[in-house]
Amino acid sequence: PSKVSSFGVKSFFTKENAPKGATQYCYECPHKESCMFNAYKFELEKDFIPFQAGIDAGVDMIMISHITMNAVDNESPASLSTKVHEVLRNDLNYSGVIIADDLNMQAILKKMTIEEATAKAFVTGNDMIFSADFAASMKGGRKAVEEGSLTEERVNESVKRILHMKIENGLIEIN
């Protein structure tokens, strides 16, 4: 994990290309199937080294994939897991933007609609999402706000992080 952090953040290894001693692997790509991240809780500390290295280096954004991290949350894919977001925010002290990988992947769509996935993505802590179906995602986000599961406070938290990132990168000028 320390060596990996020098190259950047890893997302997943397949069984065939996992380095010796890797604690996680996926049998299938999340584009097609759900992936399981099989690790014991104590092993996660070393698996998060690359993420912590990125956070310590000031990375603006972290993308969360749709793997299922059994030791953290065996119910939801990481991208839709409140517990995984809590690890990033509370345990790793990450205050930047979190973005969910494309919600239009089979790992998600086999379990819920794009509208439901969008609502859950924002409610669980993603600030931004990728979506190949913009109209459906907008519909899902709007419905979550109208029904009250996505609060104005939660939306404002994300807007503040996104605006901060844009200001820090010179994309928005403040006079």
Side-chain angles (χ1 to χ4, degrees):
S2 296
K3 185 175 183 179
V4 170
S5 68
S6 69
F7 300 115
V9 179
K10 63 182 176 177
S11 56
F12 71 90
F13 295 114
T14 61
K15 190 174 184 181
E16 292 77 31
N17 74 357
K20 185 176 181 184
T23 57
Q24 79 280 7
Y25 56 85
C26 293
Y27 286 107
E28 300 290 338
C29 173
H31 292 255
K32 299 175 185 173
E33 295 288 336
S34 295
C35 281
M36 295 303 224
F37 180 97
N38 295 310
Y40 295 105
K41 189 78 171 172
F42 68 87
E43 292 175 313
L44 285 176
E45 287 181 20
K46 68 180 180 182
D47 289 314
F48 279 114
I49 289 172
F51 292 91
Q52 189 65 64
I55 292 166
D56 293 345
V59 69
D60 293 317
M61 186 181 295
I62 292 177
M63 178 188 286
I64 301 181
S65 72
H66 307 311
I67 61 170
T68 301
M69 300 176 70
N70 288 339
V72 178
D73 181 349
N74 63 2
E75 300 285 320
S76 298
S79 57
L80 304 180
S81 169
T82 301
K83 293 174 184 176
V84 169
H85 285 78
E86 287 171 353
V87 168
L88 282 171
R89 296 284 184 212
N90 302 330
D91 298 346
L92 301 179
N93 297 312
Y94 182 61
S95 61
V97 173
I98 298 175
I99 185 167
D101 202 353
D102 190 353
L103 297 174
N104 201 34
M105 292 186 197
Q106 291 305 305
I108 300 296
L109 296 178
K110 284 185 176 183
K111 298 178 182 179
M112 64 190 75
T113 67
I114 198 87
E115 292 92 347
E116 294 165 330
T118 299
K120 189 167 184 177
F122 287 124
V123 169
T124 58
N126 290 286
D127 300 305
M128 298 171 69
I129 61 166
F130 278 115
S131 176
D133 190 342
F134 180 76
S137 288
M138 286 298 293
K139 182 179 175 184
R142 187 177 304 113
K143 183 177 179 185
V145 169
E146 290 169 356
E147 292 178 349
S149 61
L150 180 57
T151 65
E152 182 177 354
E153 177 184 10
R154 174 67 197 89
V155 172
N156 287 339
E157 289 171 5
S158 290
V159 169
K160 287 176 187 175
R161 282 191 280 269
I162 294 165
L163 288 174
H164 176 75
M165 178 182 69
K166 288 183 170 194
I167 291 166
E168 290 294 310
N169 287 287
L171 300 174
I172 296 177
E173 243 181 75
I174 304 248
N175 297 327

